[in-house]
Amino acid sequence: MLAKVSEITLYFWITKLLTTALGEVASDYLFERLNPIVSLPISVVVFIAAMLL
């Protein structure tokens, strides 16, 4: 029987940790280096683009 959810493997956890960590680092970098008024729209556009892909 086919599963509706893929098997959670080591690759899943590696990908999850990398994406979570990189997302946090990118967000912190943008908000520390740029004005939050500038970095928020950039973050929203990047998030929407990632969801569309």
Side-chain angles (χ1 to χ4, degrees), residues 15-31:
T15 304
K16 181 176 177 10
L17 289 171
L18 285 175
T19 55
T20 302
L22 291 175
E24 290 292 325
V25 169
S27 174
D28 291 344
Y29 179 80
L30 281 174
F31 278 86

Side-chain angles (χ1 to χ4, degrees), residues 21-43:
L22 291 175
E24 290 292 325
V25 169
S27 174
D28 291 344
Y29 179 80
L30 281 174
F31 278 86
E32 286 181 16
R33 297 290 179 184
L34 299 175
N35 185 343
I37 294 172
V38 174
S39 61
L40 181 62
I42 292 171
S43 299

Side-chain angles (χ1 to χ4, degrees), residues 8-18:
I8 297 176
T9 62
L10 180 61
Y11 295 118
F12 167 82
W13 288 110
I14 291 170
T15 304
K16 181 176 177 10
L17 289 171
L18 285 175

